[in-house]
Amino acid sequence: HAPTRAGPEWDDDPGLSKWVKYQRLCRSELFDAVLHQDRIRALEDLGFTWQCHEAGMDKKPWDERFGELSQFRASHGHCD
């Protein structure tokens, strides 16, 4: 899988970019218990790279944002 690297420069969908950064924040040492193992596995199956970035909260549910990330990858061939 191609690595998933979304940052503030990812203008295609700023809300999805924030969501991706929040997933990384949840997995960081500060919030390690917040992200469930099944979600970690699902993201890693997409080729997600774990780099913690500052991120704001997103109002869309996790499953909805994961679906958007999956669709984005299907459409564009990457999650960068």
Side-chain angles (χ1 to χ4, degrees), residues 4 9-10 13-15 23 26 28 30 32 34 39 42-43 45 55 64-65 67-68 70 76-77:
T4 305
E9 69 285 349
W10 196 25
D13 188 339
Q23 301 313 300
C26 287
S28 73
L30 296 174
D32 193 39
V34 174
R39 291 180 174 184
L43 288 165
D45 286 347
E64 186 175 342
R65 283 301 190 188
E68 290 174 1
S70 296
H76 299 282

Side-chain angles (χ1 to χ4, degrees), residues 10 12 71-79:
W10 196 25
D12 292 343
Q71 290 174 357
F72 182 90
R73 186 173 187 273
S75 296
H76 299 282
H78 65 85
C79 298

Side-chain angles (χ1 to χ4, degrees), residues 6-80:
E9 69 285 349
W10 196 25
D11 294 329
D12 292 343
D13 188 339
L16 181 57
S17 181
K18 286 181 181 179
W19 179 85
V20 167
K21 290 184 290 181
Y22 183 69
Q23 301 313 300
R24 292 183 177 125
L25 180 63
C26 287
R27 181 88 191 290
S28 73
E29 291 178 9
L30 296 174
F31 299 98
D32 193 39
V34 174
L35 197 56
H36 298 281
Q37 287 298 318
D38 59 330
R39 291 180 174 184
I40 292 170
R41 264 192 310 279
L43 288 165
E44 288 175 346
D45 286 347
L46 284 181
F48 200 83
T49 55
W50 295 105
Q51 297 173 344
C52 185
H53 299 281
E54 291 183 19
M57 291 292 293
D58 192 330
K59 296 187 187 314
K60 289 189 179 183
W62 192 95
D63 291 335
E64 186 175 342
R65 283 301 190 188
F66 181 79
E68 290 174 1
L69 181 61
S70 296
Q71 290 174 357
F72 182 90
R73 186 173 187 273
S75 296
H76 299 282
H78 65 85
C79 298
D80 295 345

